[in-house]
Each structure stands twice: as structure tokens, then as C-alpha cells.
Amino acid sequence: MADSRQAYIKALASAVNDEIVVCYLGPSAVLWANARPRPANLFLRDGMSLAIPVALGVALSLPDHHVFVMEGDGSLLMHLGALVTAGVENLPNLTILLFNNGIYESSGAQWIPARGLDYAALALACGLHFAETVNVAVELPGRLQAARQAGVTGLLSLATEPVSNFTPQPFPLSPVEIRVDFLRWAQAARGTRVTGAGSASGERR
Amino acid sequence: MNDHLPGRPAGLIAALKRCGTSLLVYVPDSWLGPVVDAAQTQAGIRAVCATREEEALAICCGALFTGAKSVLLIQNVGLLSSGAAAVTLLNRFRLPLLILISQRGGLDDPRASHIPKGEAIRPVLAGLGIPYSQADPHADLEAQVAAAGQYVDEADGPFALLLCKEDLRGG
């Protein structure tokens, strides 16, 4: 039996320091928000299949910061081309964490069209230079370190136990709060001032 | 340098630099070729080719989340296939993305394969809530692109500028 999503989130929380974490839709966002509330988190909360390209844009713009992006197998299958672009750009500061549970968990645990795909092999075929399967959560911190040390965009396919009792939970931040919090952190990290989005939270220019 | 580019495409590149664009994400279209080629040689602008337009839009949004200036360069049909990203990223987070669109299917491009795209783009942009304008072919393009860049900053939201063949290929 594979480990649970919660076990992987817990292992990730123990391993993350100052890295950016981009979180896709579904249960991972709430779990991560509770596990490691911090301004370097970017919660998409929707946009199925778009987490990897969003993370690529973040990584391109903040090359001195490492980006971990969570994605699901069903979501990745909606847009495999994202792996190709990530492989071509091959940024050393981007690592993809793929929850591989074989189901669309958020929508009621329907099976994805193809079960048992080897996503690490698929990632390598798409042009990534580092891709591995992680079978137990306790291995995750070490594999994260290996992925970073590889100096390329990497993918870790996390073998995850499918569950069928997902219940949507309210998220603690609004989209504007998510954007403003992350923008403030990013611009402080880069040493630039907050513009634009500041007006959304009452700071008009 | 843009010495090899005709006037209007050269003006477009100059405007992107004036606006502080650091990332240009595109999906190729035959009209976009000269601008893409020129952008790839511009110091300070990173040009990234995506596999499809919705992905390109999302890459741009990632940069915008950090406060970097990104611009999306696509054919009009690519916007038609980017609706989900437009509403879940652009609209939901109100991200200031400048979208430059080759407006295929007009009187400068009367081809059966492109005409439906040209007819559909305006109502789709309106439906997505993305303000837009067709660039005036008789006015300076650099100034118009720069104004569009100022618009997204001031509105703190997206804007699409539709470009004709002469804007992108120089006639």
C-alpha cells in the first residue's frame, strides 16, 4: 500500500526551508496551508493542469529561489506539454512533485483514463533530465535533496494511496490575499517595491 | 538590435523594452515569426516558446505573481483555447497581463481557415472580461503597445491588443 498524501505533505513540511511552494487545486492546498503557513506559498486553488507552467514562470522570474510545485497525475495528463516546456527550459531551480494516486480525488475519486503509468519515465521521455518515483514518504526529503543537487528541472512521482472520502474545505485566503501575500514576499526577496496588486488591498498608487 | 525589422514590428519590440518586459511567452504563428526572432536577441527579455497557448498564459501568470513583467504573444485562435486559464488565473487573481494577438482572418488575411477565428475573438474576449482594442494601422505602433502596457499597470488587470499583418510583418 502506498503512503497517504498527508504523509507526503508532512515529509515535505519537514524538508522545506526557504523554497517557494506552488500548490495546485484539491486537497493538497488545504493540507499544505495548515502544515506550513508562510508567504512563500502560492496557492492556485483552481486552474487544473496549470500549476507546472505557473511554477515555471515563477522560477524564471526568481532564479535565486528554488520552486517546488505540487501537481496531480490527472491534472498533468490534461497538459503533458508542460513537461516538454519544462524540459526545454531546464531550470535548475524547479522541482515537480507529482501526486500519483490514479484518481481524480477532488471530483469524487473517479479513475483517471490510464492507471499505472510510469510518470518518471514519461517525464524523462518529455525531456526532463531528472525524474524518479518515490514509493514511501520517508524517502521524500532525501529525494528532494537529490533533485536539487542534480541542478536541472526534476520530477518526483509520489506513489500515493487513493482515497474516496475527499470533502472540500474552506480555504483561509481569498485570491487577492494569496496574490498580495506572495507578491509582497517575492518583491522583498528580489528587493523591489510592491506595485499594482497593492491597490487591491487598499494601497493605491 | 532591431535593424533588420520593418518599422512597425521594430516599434513593437521597442515598446516591450520600454515597458520593462522581462519575459515574452509565445506560441508560433507565421505572422509572429519576425517579432519572435527579434525578441530572442533582445538583452533583458527572455523569450519562451510554450507547447500551447493556455500553457503560455499560465507561464506569464507565474511571472506576474512575482511582480515581473511578462507579455503573451499568440495567434487569435490560441486565445480561444485559453479560456480556462483566463478565468481561473487572470480573472480570479486579476493579473496585469498584456496579451498581443495576431488578428488572423480579417481583410488582410481572407483565408477560409482563419476567418472564423477573426470573427470569434472579440466576443470571446468580451465574454472572458478581457478589455481589448485593435491597434490602429495608421498610428504609431510603439506608442500603442506602450499605452497598452501602461493600461495593464494602471488597471492592474489584463488587456489584449489585436494586431494586423502589417503590425507584425511590416506589410
Side-chain angles (χ1 to χ4, degrees), chain B residues 56-116:
Chain B
L57 192 156
I59 295 170
C60 285
C61 289
L64 293 169
F65 273 120
T66 75
K69 295 264 188 183
S70 62
V71 171
L72 177 64
L73 181 66
I74 55 175
Q75 189 196 111
N76 52 7
V77 75
L79 194 284
L80 302 182
S81 64
S82 300
V87 296
T88 59
L89 294 176
L90 281 185
N91 290 7
R92 199 152 168 272
F93 292 99
R94 192 153 179 82
L95 293 166
L97 178 62
L98 173 57
I99 308 171
L100 301 178
I101 297 175
S102 61
Q103 175 58 345
R104 308 300 301 261
L107 290 180
D108 57 352
D109 188 33
R111 295 168 59 185
S113 59
H114 290 311
I115 288 170

CSV table of all heavy atoms in Angstrom, one decimal, chain B residues 56-116:
chain,number,residue,atom,x,y,z
B,56,ALA,N,1.2,28.9,-22.2
B,56,ALA,CA,1.9,30.2,-22.3
B,56,ALA,C,1.3,31.2,-21.4
B,56,ALA,O,2.0,32.0,-20.7
B,56,ALA,CB,1.9,30.6,-23.8
B,57,LEU,N,0.0,31.3,-21.3
B,57,LEU,CA,-0.7,32.2,-20.5
B,57,LEU,C,-0.3,32.0,-19.0
B,57,LEU,O,0.0,32.9,-18.2
B,57,LEU,CB,-2.2,32.2,-20.7
B,57,LEU,CG,-3.1,33.3,-20.1
B,57,LEU,CD1,-4.4,33.4,-20.9
B,57,LEU,CD2,-3.4,33.1,-18.6
B,58,ALA,N,-0.3,30.7,-18.6
B,58,ALA,CA,0.0,30.3,-17.2
B,58,ALA,C,1.4,30.6,-16.9
B,58,ALA,O,1.7,31.1,-15.8
B,58,ALA,CB,-0.3,28.8,-17.0
B,59,ILE,N,2.4,30.5,-17.8
B,59,ILE,CA,3.8,30.8,-17.6
B,59,ILE,C,3.9,32.3,-17.3
B,59,ILE,O,4.5,32.8,-16.4
B,59,ILE,CB,4.7,30.4,-18.7
B,59,ILE,CG1,4.7,28.9,-18.9
B,59,ILE,CG2,6.1,31.0,-18.5
B,59,ILE,CD1,5.4,28.4,-20.2
B,60,CYS,N,3.2,33.1,-18.1
B,60,CYS,CA,3.1,34.6,-17.9
B,60,CYS,C,2.6,34.9,-16.5
B,60,CYS,O,3.1,35.8,-15.8
B,60,CYS,CB,2.3,35.2,-19.0
B,60,CYS,SG,3.0,35.3,-20.6
B,61,CYS,N,1.5,34.2,-16.1
B,61,CYS,CA,0.9,34.5,-14.8
B,61,CYS,C,1.9,34.2,-13.7
B,61,CYS,O,1.9,34.9,-12.7
B,61,CYS,CB,-0.4,33.7,-14.7
B,61,CYS,SG,-1.7,34.3,-15.7
B,62,GLY,N,2.7,33.1,-13.8
B,62,GLY,CA,3.7,32.8,-12.8
B,62,GLY,C,4.6,34.0,-12.6
B,62,GLY,O,4.9,34.4,-11.5
B,63,ALA,N,5.1,34.5,-13.7
B,63,ALA,CA,6.0,35.7,-13.6
B,63,ALA,C,5.3,36.9,-13.0
B,63,ALA,O,5.8,37.6,-12.1
B,63,ALA,CB,6.5,36.1,-15.0
B,64,LEU,N,4.0,37.1,-13.4
B,64,LEU,CA,3.3,38.2,-12.8
B,64,LEU,C,3.1,38.1,-11.3
B,64,LEU,O,3.0,39.1,-10.6
B,64,LEU,CB,1.9,38.4,-13.5
B,64,LEU,CG,2.0,38.8,-15.0
B,64,LEU,CD1,0.7,38.6,-15.7
B,64,LEU,CD2,2.5,40.2,-15.1
B,65,PHE,N,2.9,36.9,-10.9
B,65,PHE,CA,2.7,36.6,-9.4
B,65,PHE,C,3.9,37.2,-8.6
B,65,PHE,O,3.8,37.5,-7.5
B,65,PHE,CB,2.5,35.1,-9.1
B,65,PHE,CG,1.1,34.7,-9.2
B,65,PHE,CD1,0.8,33.7,-10.1
B,65,PHE,CD2,0.2,35.2,-8.3
B,65,PHE,CE1,-0.5,33.2,-10.1
B,65,PHE,CE2,-1.2,34.7,-8.4
B,65,PHE,CZ,-1.5,33.7,-9.3
B,66,THR,N,5.1,37.2,-9.3
B,66,THR,CA,6.3,37.6,-8.6
B,66,THR,C,6.6,39.1,-8.8
B,66,THR,O,7.5,39.7,-8.2
B,66,THR,CB,7.6,36.9,-9.1
B,66,THR,OG1,7.9,37.4,-10.4
B,66,THR,CG2,7.4,35.4,-9.2
B,67,GLY,N,5.7,39.8,-9.6
B,67,GLY,CA,5.9,41.2,-9.9
B,67,GLY,C,6.7,41.4,-11.1
B,67,GLY,O,7.0,42.6,-11.5
B,68,ALA,N,7.2,40.4,-11.8
B,68,ALA,CA,8.0,40.6,-13.1
B,68,ALA,C,7.0,40.9,-14.2
B,68,ALA,O,5.8,40.6,-14.1
B,68,ALA,CB,8.7,39.3,-13.4
B,69,LYS,N,7.5,41.6,-15.2
B,69,LYS,CA,6.6,42.0,-16.4
B,69,LYS,C,6.7,40.9,-17.4
B,69,LYS,O,7.8,40.6,-18.0
B,69,LYS,CB,7.1,43.3,-17.0
B,69,LYS,CG,7.0,44.5,-16.0
B,69,LYS,CD,5.7,45.2,-16.3
B,69,LYS,CE,5.7,46.5,-15.5
B,69,LYS,NZ,4.5,47.2,-15.7
B,70,SER,N,5.6,40.3,-17.7
B,70,SER,CA,5.5,39.3,-18.8
B,70,SER,C,4.5,39.7,-19.8
B,70,SER,O,3.5,40.4,-19.6
B,70,SER,CB,5.2,37.9,-18.2
B,70,SER,OG,3.9,37.9,-17.6
B,71,VAL,N,4.7,39.2,-21.1
B,71,VAL,CA,3.8,39.5,-22.2
B,71,VAL,C,3.6,38.2,-22.9
B,71,VAL,O,4.5,37.4,-23.1
B,71,VAL,CB,4.5,40.6,-23.1
B,71,VAL,CG1,3.6,40.7,-24.4
B,71,VAL,CG2,4.6,41.9,-22.4
B,72,LEU,N,2.3,38.1,-23.3
B,72,LEU,CA,1.9,36.9,-24.0
B,72,LEU,C,1.7,37.2,-25.5
B,72,LEU,O,1.1,38.2,-25.8
B,72,LEU,CB,0.6,36.4,-23.5
B,72,LEU,CG,-0.1,35.2,-24.1
B,72,LEU,CD1,0.8,33.9,-24.0
B,72,LEU,CD2,-1.5,34.9,-23.5
B,73,LEU,N,2.3,36.4,-26.4
B,73,LEU,CA,2.3,36.7,-27.8
B,73,LEU,C,1.7,35.5,-28.6
B,73,LEU,O,2.4,34.5,-28.6
B,73,LEU,CB,3.7,37.1,-28.3
B,73,LEU,CG,3.8,37.4,-29.8
B,73,LEU,CD1,3.1,38.7,-30.2
B,73,LEU,CD2,5.3,37.5,-30.2
B,74,ILE,N,0.5,35.6,-29.1
B,74,ILE,CA,-0.2,34.4,-29.6
B,74,ILE,C,-1.0,34.8,-30.8
B,74,ILE,O,-1.4,35.9,-31.0
B,74,ILE,CB,-1.1,33.7,-28.6
B,74,ILE,CG1,-2.1,34.7,-28.0
B,74,ILE,CG2,-0.2,33.0,-27.5
B,74,ILE,CD1,-3.1,34.0,-27.0
B,75,GLN,N,-1.4,33.8,-31.6
B,75,GLN,CA,-2.5,33.9,-32.6
B,75,GLN,C,-3.8,34.0,-31.9
B,75,GLN,O,-4.0,33.4,-30.9
B,75,GLN,CB,-2.4,32.8,-33.6
B,75,GLN,CG,-3.3,33.0,-34.8
B,75,GLN,CD,-3.5,31.7,-35.6
B,75,GLN,OE1,-4.6,31.2,-35.7
B,75,GLN,NE2,-2.5,31.2,-36.2
B,76,ASN,N,-4.8,34.6,-32.6
B,76,ASN,CA,-6.1,34.7,-32.0
B,76,ASN,C,-6.7,33.3,-31.6
B,76,ASN,O,-7.4,33.2,-30.6
B,76,ASN,CB,-7.1,35.5,-32.9
B,76,ASN,CG,-7.1,35.1,-34.3
B,76,ASN,OD1,-6.6,34.0,-34.7
B,76,ASN,ND2,-7.8,35.8,-35.2
B,77,VAL,N,-6.5,32.3,-32.4
B,77,VAL,CA,-7.1,31.0,-32.1
B,77,VAL,C,-6.6,30.5,-30.8
B,77,VAL,O,-7.2,29.8,-30.1
B,77,VAL,CB,-6.8,30.0,-33.2
B,77,VAL,CG1,-5.4,29.5,-33.2
B,77,VAL,CG2,-7.8,28.9,-33.1
B,78,GLY,N,-5.3,30.9,-30.4
B,78,GLY,CA,-4.8,30.5,-29.1
B,78,GLY,C,-5.5,31.1,-27.9
B,78,GLY,O,-5.6,30.4,-26.9
B,79,LEU,N,-6.0,32.3,-28.1
B,79,LEU,CA,-6.8,32.8,-27.0
B,79,LEU,C,-8.1,32.1,-26.9
B,79,LEU,O,-8.6,31.9,-25.7
B,79,LEU,CB,-7.0,34.3,-27.3
B,79,LEU,CG,-7.6,35.2,-26.2
B,79,LEU,CD1,-9.0,35.0,-25.9
B,79,LEU,CD2,-6.8,35.1,-24.9
B,80,LEU,N,-8.6,31.6,-28.0
B,80,LEU,CA,-9.9,30.9,-28.0
B,80,LEU,C,-9.7,29.6,-27.2
B,80,LEU,O,-10.7,29.1,-26.5
B,80,LEU,CB,-10.4,30.6,-29.4
B,80,LEU,CG,-10.6,31.8,-30.3
B,80,LEU,CD1,-11.1,31.3,-31.7
B,80,LEU,CD2,-11.6,32.8,-29.7
B,81,SER,N,-8.5,29.0,-27.2
B,81,SER,CA,-8.3,27.8,-26.4
B,81,SER,C,-7.7,28.0,-25.0
B,81,SER,O,-7.3,27.0,-24.4
B,81,SER,CB,-7.4,26.8,-27.2
B,81,SER,OG,-6.1,27.4,-27.4
B,82,SER,N,-7.8,29.2,-24.6
B,82,SER,CA,-7.2,29.5,-23.3
B,82,SER,C,-8.2,30.0,-22.3
B,82,SER,O,-7.8,30.6,-21.3
B,82,SER,CB,-6.1,30.6,-23.5
B,82,SER,OG,-5.1,30.2,-24.3
B,83,GLY,N,-9.4,29.7,-22.5
B,83,GLY,CA,-10.5,30.3,-21.7
B,83,GLY,C,-10.3,29.9,-20.2
B,83,GLY,O,-10.5,30.7,-19.3
B,84,ALA,N,-10.0,28.6,-20.0
B,84,ALA,CA,-9.9,28.2,-18.6
B,84,ALA,C,-8.8,28.9,-17.8
B,84,ALA,O,-9.0,29.3,-16.7
B,84,ALA,CB,-9.7,26.7,-18.5
B,85,ALA,N,-7.7,29.0,-18.4
B,85,ALA,CA,-6.6,29.8,-17.8
B,85,ALA,C,-7.0,31.2,-17.6
B,85,ALA,O,-6.6,31.9,-16.6
B,85,ALA,CB,-5.3,29.6,-18.6
B,86,ALA,N,-7.7,31.8,-18.5
B,86,ALA,CA,-8.0,33.2,-18.4
B,86,ALA,C,-8.9,33.5,-17.2
B,86,ALA,O,-8.8,34.4,-16.5
B,86,ALA,CB,-8.7,33.7,-19.7
B,87,VAL,N,-9.9,32.6,-17.0
B,87,VAL,CA,-10.8,32.8,-15.9
B,87,VAL,C,-10.3,32.4,-14.6
B,87,VAL,O,-10.5,33.0,-13.5
B,87,VAL,CB,-12.2,32.2,-16.2
B,87,VAL,CG1,-12.9,32.8,-17.3
B,87,VAL,CG2,-12.1,30.7,-16.3
B,88,THR,N,-9.5,31.3,-14.6
B,88,THR,CA,-9.0,30.8,-13.3
B,88,THR,C,-7.8,31.5,-12.8
B,88,THR,O,-7.5,31.5,-11.6
B,88,THR,CB,-8.7,29.3,-13.3
B,88,THR,OG1,-7.8,29.0,-14.3
B,88,THR,CG2,-10.0,28.5,-13.6
B,89,LEU,N,-7.0,32.1,-13.7
B,89,LEU,CA,-5.8,32.8,-13.3
B,89,LEU,C,-6.0,34.3,-13.5
B,89,LEU,O,-5.9,35.1,-12.5
B,89,LEU,CB,-4.6,32.3,-14.1
B,89,LEU,CG,-4.2,30.8,-13.8
B,89,LEU,CD1,-3.0,30.4,-14.7
B,89,LEU,CD2,-3.8,30.6,-12.3
B,90,LEU,N,-6.2,34.7,-14.7
B,90,LEU,CA,-6.2,36.2,-15.0
B,90,LEU,C,-7.3,36.9,-14.2
B,90,LEU,O,-7.1,37.8,-13.5
B,90,LEU,CB,-6.4,36.4,-16.5
B,90,LEU,CG,-5.2,36.3,-17.4
B,90,LEU,CD1,-5.6,36.7,-18.8
B,90,LEU,CD2,-4.1,37.2,-16.9
B,91,ASN,N,-8.5,36.3,-14.4
B,91,ASN,CA,-9.7,37.0,-13.8
B,91,ASN,C,-9.7,36.8,-12.2
B,91,ASN,O,-10.0,37.7,-11.5
B,91,ASN,CB,-11.0,36.4,-14.3
B,91,ASN,CG,-11.2,36.8,-15.8
B,91,ASN,OD1,-10.3,37.4,-16.4
B,91,ASN,ND2,-12.3,36.5,-16.3
B,92,ARG,N,-9.4,35.6,-11.8
B,92,ARG,CA,-9.6,35.3,-10.4
B,92,ARG,C,-8.5,36.0,-9.6
B,92,ARG,O,-8.9,36.5,-8.5
B,92,ARG,CB,-9.4,33.8,-10.2
B,92,ARG,CG,-9.9,33.2,-8.9
B,92,ARG,CD,-10.4,31.8,-9.1
B,92,ARG,NE,-10.6,31.2,-7.8
B,92,ARG,CZ,-9.6,30.6,-7.1
B,92,ARG,NH1,-8.4,30.5,-7.6
B,92,ARG,NH2,-9.9,30.1,-6.0
B,93,PHE,N,-7.3,36.1,-10.1
B,93,PHE,CA,-6.3,36.8,-9.3
B,93,PHE,C,-6.0,38.2,-9.9
B,93,PHE,O,-5.2,38.9,-9.4
B,93,PHE,CB,-5.0,36.0,-9.4
B,93,PHE,CG,-5.0,34.7,-8.7
B,93,PHE,CD1,-5.2,33.5,-9.3
B,93,PHE,CD2,-4.8,34.7,-7.3
B,93,PHE,CE1,-5.3,32.3,-8.7
B,93,PHE,CE2,-4.9,33.5,-6.6
B,93,PHE,CZ,-5.1,32.3,-7.3
B,94,ARG,N,-6.8,38.6,-10.9
B,94,ARG,CA,-6.7,39.9,-11.5
B,94,ARG,C,-5.2,40.2,-11.8
B,94,ARG,O,-4.6,41.2,-11.2
B,94,ARG,CB,-7.3,41.0,-10.6
B,94,ARG,CG,-7.5,42.3,-11.4
B,94,ARG,CD,-8.6,43.1,-10.9
B,94,ARG,NE,-8.7,44.4,-11.7
B,94,ARG,CZ,-9.2,44.5,-12.9
B,94,ARG,NH1,-9.8,43.4,-13.4
B,94,ARG,NH2,-9.2,45.6,-13.6
B,95,LEU,N,-4.6,39.5,-12.7
B,95,LEU,CA,-3.2,39.7,-13.0
B,95,LEU,C,-3.1,40.6,-14.2
B,95,LEU,O,-3.8,40.5,-15.2
B,95,LEU,CB,-2.6,38.3,-13.3
B,95,LEU,CG,-2.5,37.4,-12.1
B,95,LEU,CD1,-2.2,36.0,-12.5
B,95,LEU,CD2,-1.5,37.9,-11.1
B,96,PRO,N,-2.1,41.5,-14.2
B,96,PRO,CA,-1.9,42.5,-15.2
B,96,PRO,C,-1.1,42.0,-16.4
B,96,PRO,O,0.0,42.4,-16.6
B,96,PRO,CB,-1.2,43.6,-14.5
B,96,PRO,CG,-0.4,42.9,-13.4
B,96,PRO,CD,-1.2,41.7,-13.0
B,97,LEU,N,-1.8,41.2,-17.2
B,97,LEU,CA,-1.1,40.6,-18.4
B,97,LEU,C,-1.4,41.4,-19.7
B,97,LEU,O,-2.6,41.6,-20.0
B,97,LEU,CB,-1.5,39.1,-18.5
B,97,LEU,CG,-0.9,38.4,-19.7
B,97,LEU,CD1,0.6,38.3,-19.6
B,97,LEU,CD2,-1.5,37.0,-19.9
B,98,LEU,N,-0.4,41.7,-20.4
B,98,LEU,CA,-0.5,42.3,-21.7
B,98,LEU,C,-0.5,41.2,-22.7
B,98,LEU,O,0.5,40.4,-22.8
B,98,LEU,CB,0.6,43.3,-22.0
B,98,LEU,CG,0.7,43.8,-23.4
B,98,LEU,CD1,-0.6,44.5,-23.8
B,98,LEU,CD2,1.8,44.8,-23.6
B,99,ILE,N,-1.6,41.0,-23.5
B,99,ILE,CA,-1.7,40.0,-24.5
B,99,ILE,C,-1.6,40.6,-25.9
B,99,ILE,O,-2.5,41.4,-26.2
B,99,ILE,CB,-3.0,39.2,-24.3
B,99,ILE,CG1,-3.2,38.8,-22.8
B,99,ILE,CG2,-3.1,38.0,-25.2
B,99,ILE,CD1,-4.6,38.2,-22.5
B,100,LEU,N,-0.7,40.2,-26.6
B,100,LEU,CA,-0.6,40.6,-28.0
B,100,LEU,C,-1.0,39.5,-28.9
B,100,LEU,O,-0.5,38.4,-28.9
B,100,LEU,CB,0.9,41.0,-28.3
B,100,LEU,CG,1.5,42.1,-27.4
B,100,LEU,CD1,2.9,42.4,-27.8
B,100,LEU,CD2,0.7,43.4,-27.6
B,101,ILE,N,-2.0,39.8,-29.8
B,101,ILE,CA,-2.7,38.8,-30.5
B,101,ILE,C,-2.6,39.1,-32.0
B,101,ILE,O,-3.0,40.2,-32.5
B,101,ILE,CB,-4.2,38.7,-30.1
B,101,ILE,CG1,-4.3,38.3,-28.6
B,101,ILE,CG2,-4.9,37.7,-31.0
B,101,ILE,CD1,-5.7,38.3,-28.1
B,102,SER,N,-2.1,38.1,-32.8
B,102,SER,CA,-2.2,38.3,-34.3
B,102,SER,C,-3.6,38.0,-34.7
B,102,SER,O,-4.2,37.0,-34.5
B,102,SER,CB,-1.2,37.3,-35.0
B,102,SER,OG,-1.6,36.0,-34.7
B,103,GLN,N,-4.2,39.1,-35.3
B,103,GLN,CA,-5.7,39.0,-35.6
B,103,GLN,C,-5.8,38.5,-37.0
B,103,GLN,O,-6.0,39.2,-38.0
B,103,GLN,CB,-6.3,40.4,-35.4
B,103,GLN,CG,-7.7,40.5,-35.8
B,103,GLN,CD,-8.7,39.6,-35.1
B,103,GLN,OE1,-8.3,38.6,-34.4
B,103,GLN,NE2,-10.0,39.8,-35.2
B,104,ARG,N,-5.8,37.2,-37.1
B,104,ARG,CA,-5.9,36.5,-38.4
B,104,ARG,C,-7.4,36.5,-38.8
B,104,ARG,O,-8.3,36.6,-38.0
B,104,ARG,CB,-5.4,35.0,-38.2
B,104,ARG,CG,-4.1,34.8,-37.7
B,104,ARG,CD,-3.0,35.5,-38.5
B,104,ARG,NE,-2.9,35.1,-39.9
B,104,ARG,CZ,-2.1,34.1,-40.3
B,104,ARG,NH1,-1.2,33.6,-39.5
B,104,ARG,NH2,-2.1,33.8,-41.6
B,105,GLY,N,-7.6,36.4,-40.1
B,105,GLY,CA,-8.9,36.3,-40.6
B,105,GLY,C,-9.6,37.6,-40.9
B,105,GLY,O,-10.9,37.5,-41.2
B,106,GLY,N,-8.9,38.7,-41.0
B,106,GLY,CA,-9.5,39.9,-41.4
B,106,GLY,C,-9.3,40.2,-42.9
B,106,GLY,O,-9.0,39.3,-43.6
B,107,LEU,N,-9.5,41.4,-43.3
B,107,LEU,CA,-9.4,41.7,-44.7
B,107,LEU,C,-7.9,41.6,-45.2
B,107,LEU,O,-7.7,41.5,-46.4
B,107,LEU,CB,-9.9,43.2,-45.0
B,107,LEU,CG,-11.4,43.3,-44.8
B,107,LEU,CD1,-11.8,44.8,-45.1
B,107,LEU,CD2,-12.2,42.4,-45.8
B,108,ASP,N,-7.0,41.6,-44.3
B,108,ASP,CA,-5.6,41.4,-44.7
B,108,ASP,C,-5.2,39.9,-44.6
B,108,ASP,O,-4.1,39.5,-44.8
B,108,ASP,CB,-4.6,42.2,-43.8
B,108,ASP,CG,-4.8,41.9,-42.3
B,108,ASP,OD1,-5.8,41.1,-42.0
B,108,ASP,OD2,-4.0,42.3,-41.5
B,109,ASP,N,-6.2,39.1,-44.4
B,109,ASP,CA,-6.0,37.6,-44.2
B,109,ASP,C,-7.2,36.8,-44.6
B,109,ASP,O,-7.7,36.1,-43.8
B,109,ASP,CB,-5.5,37.4,-42.8
B,109,ASP,CG,-5.1,36.0,-42.6
B,109,ASP,OD1,-4.5,35.4,-43.5
B,109,ASP,OD2,-5.3,35.5,-41.4
B,110,PRO,N,-7.8,37.1,-45.8
B,110,PRO,CA,-9.1,36.5,-46.1
B,110,PRO,C,-9.0,35.0,-46.5
B,110,PRO,O,-9.2,34.6,-47.6
B,110,PRO,CB,-9.6,37.4,-47.2
B,110,PRO,CG,-8.3,37.8,-47.9
B,110,PRO,CD,-7.3,37.9,-46.9
B,111,ARG,N,-8.6,34.2,-45.5
B,111,ARG,CA,-8.5,32.8,-45.8
B,111,ARG,C,-9.5,32.0,-45.0
B,111,ARG,O,-9.8,32.3,-43.8
B,111,ARG,CB,-7.1,32.3,-45.4
B,111,ARG,CG,-6.0,32.9,-46.2
B,111,ARG,CD,-4.6,32.7,-45.7
B,111,ARG,NE,-4.3,31.3,-45.6
B,111,ARG,CZ,-3.2,30.8,-45.0
B,111,ARG,NH1,-2.3,31.7,-44.5
B,111,ARG,NH2,-3.0,29.5,-44.9
B,112,ALA,N,-10.1,31.0,-45.6
B,112,ALA,CA,-11.2,30.3,-45.0
B,112,ALA,C,-10.8,29.7,-43.7
B,112,ALA,O,-11.7,29.6,-42.7
B,112,ALA,CB,-11.7,29.2,-46.0
B,113,SER,N,-9.6,29.3,-43.5
B,113,SER,CA,-9.2,28.7,-42.3
B,113,SER,C,-9.1,29.7,-41.1
B,113,SER,O,-9.2,29.3,-40.0
B,113,SER,CB,-7.8,28.0,-42.4
B,113,SER,OG,-6.8,28.9,-42.9
B,114,HIS,N,-8.9,31.0,-41.5
B,114,HIS,CA,-8.7,32.0,-40.4
B,114,HIS,C,-9.9,32.8,-40.1
B,114,HIS,O,-10.0,33.4,-39.0
B,114,HIS,CB,-7.5,32.9,-40.8
B,114,HIS,CG,-6.1,32.2,-40.8
B,114,HIS,ND1,-5.7,31.4,-39.7
B,114,HIS,CD2,-5.1,32.2,-41.7
B,114,HIS,CE1,-4.5,31.0,-39.9
B,114,HIS,NE2,-4.1,31.4,-41.1
B,115,ILE,N,-10.8,32.9,-41.1
B,115,ILE,CA,-11.9,33.9,-40.9
B,115,ILE,C,-12.7,33.5,-39.7
B,115,ILE,O,-13.1,34.5,-38.9
B,115,ILE,CB,-12.8,33.9,-42.2
B,115,ILE,CG1,-12.0,34.6,-43.3
B,115,ILE,CG2,-14.1,34.5,-41.9
B,115,ILE,CD1,-12.7,34.5,-44.7
B,116,PRO,N,-13.0,32.3,-39.4
B,116,PRO,CA,-13.8,32.0,-38.1
B,116,PRO,C,-13.1,32.5,-36.9
B,116,PRO,O,-13.7,32.9,-35.9
B,116,PRO,CB,-14.0,30.5,-38.2
B,116,PRO,CG,-13.8,30.1,-39.6
B,116,PRO,CD,-12.8,31.0,-40.1
